[in-house]
Amino acid sequence: MIIDVHSHVWSYPQHFTDDFRRQASRARSGVEVDLTVRFEEYRATAPDDVRTIVFGGKAKLSGMWVDDQSVADYVDQHPDQLIGFLSVDPTQPNWYDELQHGHQTLGLRGVKLLSMYAGFRPDSESLDPLWRYTSQHGLSVLLHTGTTFIAQAPLDCTLPRYLDRVAARYPEQRMILAHLGHPYEGECVAVIRKHQHVYADVSALHYRPFQLYQSLMLVQEYGVWDKVLFGTDYPFTTVNDSIAGIRNLNSLVQGTGLPRLDEQKIEQMIYRESLPLLNLS
């Protein structure tokens, strides 16, 4: 079975401001991405044996707000295939109530944080109530780490090093650092190597193939293949395209003296049983 740990659900363009939609044209160089979510399209561009973690996202600063009820409704339509995560924006009022409601009332099983998009530091002491709650309830937290196309989203809120501090304070907390922290992959690898329950995903990276080759070579040289999870970032890309892109990385170095990625480790990553690692089995 393939576990896609990083997929979105939203109503596009309704859940976004006009400003966000204009800036989203920069998401992929030379490609205009249709951000409409269609479950049938997702399934048609994936193998049959896929289970998927889905979430929306809340970030008032950047102009994105997907209510958790929309996520829960989407999951309820396909409960055997989808696992829903809630989202909170801690810069906004009532975020702790939303955390409890999404988990206890809607039955969502993890949390997605958009610290850069919302403009907060995930290691801030003001977020200790969040980390205490998720740690005590065994909820995994997936955080966007790395770059963005949104101008007002501050890069100094997205660095993987801040999650090192959180993991040190909450050592049982399951975390996923999205996108391998790109372009801060070195920091990301350093953090996931240190902490038993901290992982990274490879979502939305295959269409920058040489960068992904170098990133996974860092993973290989530091011996942390087991801490890397498969994800797509649908609708930015698909399961099939992600798998094909990752499997094709060694073709970049064919005929050169550069080292090759371990293809057995790549296959193990694609088929990793991620759910038990994230308290979701």
Side-chain angles (χ1 to χ4, degrees), residues 125-157:
E125 291 184 2
S126 66
L127 263 70
D128 277 346
L130 182 148
W131 293 115
R132 280 196 297 269
Y133 185 94
T134 56
S135 184
Q136 290 169 2
H137 290 275
L139 300 181
S140 290
V141 178
L142 187 148
L143 304 97
H144 178 94
T145 53
T147 188
T148 182
F149 47 84
I150 296 294
Q152 61 266 39
L155 285 174
D156 65 357
C157 291

Side-chain angles (χ1 to χ4, degrees), residues 93-106:
N94 304 317
W95 67 265
Y96 192 81
D97 293 338
E98 292 177 14
L99 172 67
Q100 293 179 305
H101 178 75
H103 173 225
Q104 298 180 25
T105 303
L106 299 181

Side-chain angles (χ1 to χ4, degrees), residues 144-175:
H144 178 94
T145 53
T147 188
T148 182
F149 47 84
I150 296 294
Q152 61 266 39
L155 285 174
D156 65 357
C157 291
T158 196
L159 300 176
R161 69 184 71 172
Y162 301 140
L163 284 314
D164 173 53
R165 298 171 181 171
V166 175
R169 298 205 302 266
Y170 300 94
E172 296 303 312
Q173 176 65 56
R174 270 66 174 172
M175 279 189 278

Side-chain angles (χ1 to χ4, degrees), residues 17-30:
T17 62
D18 291 342
D19 179 58
F20 185 102
R21 296 197 299 271
R22 282 193 296 269
Q23 295 194 61
S25 63
R26 300 197 301 268
R28 286 181 61 177
S29 177

